């Protein structure tokens, strides 16, 4: 899976667990399918990746061969949009801040997913903006961070190398040839 998909599914799991909702009540936004019955939430990751939240670090592991692996890791920013549709969906949006900060099960799910979420933005009623009086719609936005794990890179052991330098004088004087064994991680220059 991709970072985006991992974040999306983690947020859906948290909302379903914390609010007691089903798959048809927490839907991925922009999914091409028949519309589910009201009320429901849609979730969309609108930004991810980008700037690191803190200094990246490397995890060293042994992969069974003689060479170790280094895996880059770090935290990245994400923005998640949640839309509520139908009567009763506003109560779910109102419950989200307490779920994220107080519910131990939800916090454990977020931790397991390597995801932290801030309290959401204020609930924005977008029913009037869409010029529809027949359906309640609202939106909140979450900002958060997630742990990004890069691809393991196998480390190749470097050997000492022989460096030969030929100093040739432009005026015809004899050449000076020097050979030195050099550690590539600590070159003499």
């Amino acid at each position: 899976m991709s970072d985006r998909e991992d974040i999306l599914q983690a947020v859906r799991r948290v909302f379903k667990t914390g609010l007691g909702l089903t798959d048809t009540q927490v839907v991925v936004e922009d999914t091409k399918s028949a519309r589910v019955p009201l009320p429901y939430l849609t979730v969309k990751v609108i930004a991810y990746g980008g700037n690191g939240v803190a200094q990246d670090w490397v995890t060293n592991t042994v992969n069974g061969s003689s060479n170790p692996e280094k895996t880059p890791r770090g935290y990245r920013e994400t923005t998640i949009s949640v839309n509520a549709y139908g009567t009763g969906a506003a109560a779910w949006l109102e419950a989200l801040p307490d779920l994220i900060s107080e519910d131990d099960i939800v916090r454990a799910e977020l931790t397991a997913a390597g995801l932290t979420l801030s309290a959401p933005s204020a609930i924005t009623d977008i029913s009037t903006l869409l010029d529809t009086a027949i359906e309640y719609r609202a939106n909140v936005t979450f900002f958060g961070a997630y742990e990004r794990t890069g691809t393991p890179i196998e480390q190749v052991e470097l050997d000492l190398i022989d460096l030969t330098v030929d100093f040739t004088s432009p005026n015809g004087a004899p050449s000076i040839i020097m050979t030195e064994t050099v550690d590539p991680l600590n070159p003499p220059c």
Side-chain angles (χ1 to χ4, degrees):
M1 280 205 251
S2 67
D3 289 347
R4 181 187 172 283
E5 186 65 21
D6 290 345
I7 295 164
L8 186 64
Q9 295 308 324
V11 170
R12 287 187 69 227
R13 272 192 314 275
V14 163
F15 291 173
K16 289 187 296 185
T17 300
L19 298 170
L21 303 177
T22 65
D23 277 337
T24 59
Q25 291 175 305
V26 184
V27 181
V28 176
E29 190 169 316
D30 298 332
T31 301
K32 296 193 184 317
S33 64
R35 189 169 187 200
V36 297
L38 296 172
Y40 64 92
L41 300 176
T42 62
V43 180
K44 183 175 186 175
V45 177
I46 56 177
Y48 64 98
N51 295 332
V53 176
Q55 182 68 39
D56 286 357
W57 70 95
V58 173
T59 304
N60 295 312
T61 57
V62 177
N63 63 2
S65 74
S66 60
N67 297 332
E69 288 181 337
K70 291 187 178 281
T71 305
R73 300 173 76 99
Y75 286 100
R76 299 291 182 261
E77 297 172 333
T78 186
T79 306
I80 300 153
S81 173
V82 181
N83 289 314
Y85 297 86
T87 306
W92 297 337
L93 294 183
E94 291 169 4
L96 291 178
D98 290 337
L99 279 177
I100 292 168
S101 63
E102 303 297 329
D103 189 294
D104 291 338
I105 295 171
V106 167
R107 290 169 57 104
E109 288 236 15
L110 288 170
T111 300
L115 183 64
T116 58
L117 295 175
S118 64
S121 63
I123 297 171
T124 305
D125 183 340
I126 56 177
S127 298
T128 55
L129 297 175
L130 296 173
D131 194 25
T132 174
I134 59 169
E135 184 178 295
Y136 174 81
R137 297 180 184 197
N139 171 273
V140 296
T141 302
F142 289 90
F143 299 98
Y146 65 96
E147 186 176 330
R148 168 80 167 85
T149 302
T151 304
I153 302 164
E154 186 171 347
Q155 302 301 296
V156 178
E157 186 174 333
L158 298 176
D159 292 326
L160 298 177
I161 58 173
D162 289 329
L163 175 65
T164 302
V165 180
D166 182 350
F167 295 101
T168 303
S169 171
N171 62 5
S175 298
I176 301 172
I177 298 175
M178 295 179 4
T179 302
E180 183 177 344
T181 301
V182 178
D183 179 350
L185 295 177
N186 298 306
C189 327

